[in-house]
């Protein structure tokens, strides 16, 4: 195995910190001259024998140094994959859309508290979404466009990552417990192949506080990844799946490479790769 270390250039991580992490893995760090992430530096430690104990020690040292790490098979290539599936809120984009919609009602703290509990896995997702959407009852539907125009931003590295994987011929799926108002716009804006999310009910220009149809929960996310894989003639093991909350764990669990992006501890603990500091394009340095 190789151990790949990455850090934002703006962090100015010291070489001694990199060397210390490499020493934990029993090797020396070689700086990558061909890093694919413009705003990050990367290093490789070759011939590493991974273990749970080593991962725990590297994890602690990397977090302290603000360095991302991944144990990777050097033979694994981007071309081995056929699909990249992404969560939307706090993964592809920086915000939780429902929290920002709620802010238009002066209810952001109440909704955000439920959002956080759901992402940590403390509240079942269907219940959390139902409770949060109900708080939006009566809000003018124009608030959705305001959130999109004024607050929605792509996560660091998102556009660069998407251009690279699309150029390599991989299909893209945005599967979200959020709302079609936003996923539809992301699909058009970024040229995504597939999207799946919840539909907010609107009557007389106002949100009714209900969702139309079934809820896109953890199980539905998993089923969606499986369905899209079948449509493109791929196995789930040929999917890269990115997420940040407990609602993403089932779809991450069937993937060939699971990526926890700025994720909750419960997600980081189960993912193959954690990106806590570099952008989404950090995955490009992990695959040949």
């Amino acid at each position: 195995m190789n151990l790949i270390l990455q850090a934002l250039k703006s962090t100015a991580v010291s070489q001694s910190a990199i060397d210390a992490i490499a020493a934990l893995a029993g090797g020396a760090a070689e700086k990558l001259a061909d890093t694919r992430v413009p705003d990050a530096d990367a290093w490789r430690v070759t011939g590493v024998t991974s273990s749970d104990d080593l991962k725990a020690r590297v994890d602690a040292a990397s977090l302290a140094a603000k360095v991302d790490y991944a144990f990777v098979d050097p033979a694994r290539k981007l071309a081995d994959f056929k699909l990249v599936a992404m969560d939307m809120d706090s993964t592809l984009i920086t915000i939780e859309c429902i929290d920002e919609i709620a802010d238009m009602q002066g209810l952001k703290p109440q909704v955000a508290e439920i959002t956080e509990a759901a992402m940590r896995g403390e509240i079942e997702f269907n219940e959390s979404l139902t409770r949060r959407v109900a708080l939006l009852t009566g809000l003018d539907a124009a608030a959705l466009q305001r959130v999109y125009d004024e607050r929605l931003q792509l996560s660091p590295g998102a556009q660069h990552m998407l251009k690279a994987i699309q150029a390599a011929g991989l299909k893209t799926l945005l599967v979200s417990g959020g709302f079609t108002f936003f996923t539809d716009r992301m699909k058009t804006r970024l040229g995504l192949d597939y999207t799946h999310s919840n539909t907010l009910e609107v009557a007389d220009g106002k949100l009714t506080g209900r969702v139309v149809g079934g809820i896109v929960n953890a199980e539905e996310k998993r089923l969606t990844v499986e369905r899209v894989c079948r449509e493109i003639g791929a196995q789930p093991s040929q999917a890269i799946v990115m997420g940040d909350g407990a609602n993403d764990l089932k779809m991450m669990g069937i993937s060939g490479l699971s990526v926890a992006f700025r994720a909750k501890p419960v997600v980081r603990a189960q993912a193959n790769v954690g990106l806590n500091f570099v952008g989404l394009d950090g995955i490009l340095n992990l695959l040949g």
Side-chain angles (χ1 to χ4, degrees):
M1 299 287 281
N2 286 347
L3 171 62
I4 303 296
L5 305 173
Q6 301 185 77
L8 290 173
K9 291 177 180 178
S10 59
T11 305
V13 174
S14 68
Q15 187 62 46
S16 60
I18 297 298
D19 290 341
I21 298 170
L24 290 175
E30 167 199 4
K31 191 167 186 179
L32 298 184
D34 58 345
T35 176
R36 300 183 188 181
V37 183
D39 61 354
D41 291 318
W43 298 262
R44 179 193 298 116
V45 183
T46 61
V48 176
T49 301
S50 180
S51 67
D52 290 342
D53 177 65
L54 176 59
K55 182 177 179 180
R57 288 185 287 127
V58 169
D59 185 78
S62 297
L63 281 172
K66 296 187 177 180
V67 172
D68 285 324
Y69 74 92
F71 293 95
V72 300
D73 180 348
R76 207 166 203 191
K77 309 296 182 186
L78 186 61
D80 295 334
F81 296 92
K82 293 186 177 182
L83 176 71
V84 173
M86 303 158 284
D87 173 51
M88 181 174 66
D89 297 76
S90 297
T91 301
L92 181 63
I93 63 176
T94 60
I95 63 171
E96 291 288 328
C97 290
I98 194 167
D99 293 358
E100 301 307 318
I101 297 167
D103 198 29
M104 305 292 180
Q105 287 276 64
L107 293 170
K108 185 173 181 177
Q110 297 93 313
V111 170
E113 183 179 354
I114 300 171
T115 300
E116 282 292 307
M119 291 174 65
R120 293 192 300 265
E122 297 169 2
I123 301 176
E124 193 272 335
F125 184 79
N126 286 30
E127 176 193 347
S128 75
L129 186 68
T130 301
R131 286 170 53 187
R132 286 177 289 165
V133 171
L135 290 170
L136 306 179
T137 302
L139 179 65
D140 194 313
L144 304 179
Q145 189 65 48
R146 283 188 57 201
V147 169
Y148 181 81
D149 291 339
E150 299 173 13
R151 304 190 183 188
L152 188 149
Q153 294 184 358
L154 294 176
S155 290
Q159 206 144 17
H160 181 239
M161 179 270 293
L162 285 169
K163 286 182 179 178
I165 63 173
Q166 288 167 335
L170 281 70
K171 298 297 185 182
T172 50
L173 164 66
L174 184 60
V175 56
S176 173
F179 307 116
T180 54
F181 183 92
F182 301 101
T183 57
D184 288 351
R185 283 159 177 75
M186 288 291 98
K187 183 177 184 180
T188 300
R189 175 174 168 181
L190 300 172
L192 305 178
D193 296 296
Y194 302 90
T195 61
H196 186 44
S197 56
N198 299 298
T199 301
L200 286 170
E201 185 178 65
V202 178
D204 299 322
K206 306 284 186 182
L207 301 184
T208 67
R210 293 187 295 270
V211 170
V212 178
I215 289 176
V216 181
N217 56 20
E219 181 65 12
E220 180 63 19
K221 284 190 170 190
R222 179 185 68 80
L223 291 171
T224 302
V225 171
E226 291 177 339
R227 172 177 57 80
V228 171
C229 282
R230 286 194 300 271
E231 288 186 18
I232 65 174
Q235 298 296 318
S237 60
Q238 294 174 293
I240 299 169
V241 177
M242 302 174 164
D244 71 307
N247 195 41
D248 301 315
L249 286 172
K250 286 190 176 182
M251 68 172 179
M252 293 171 73
I254 63 169
S255 70
L257 181 67
S258 57
V259 180
F261 183 73
R262 309 287 195 272
K264 302 303 176 187
V266 66
V267 180
R268 291 202 306 268
Q270 297 182 47
N272 301 130
V273 175
L275 298 178
N276 301 310
F277 305 107
V278 302
L280 285 170
D281 52 354
I283 66 164
L284 302 176
N285 279 332
L286 309 181
L287 300 166

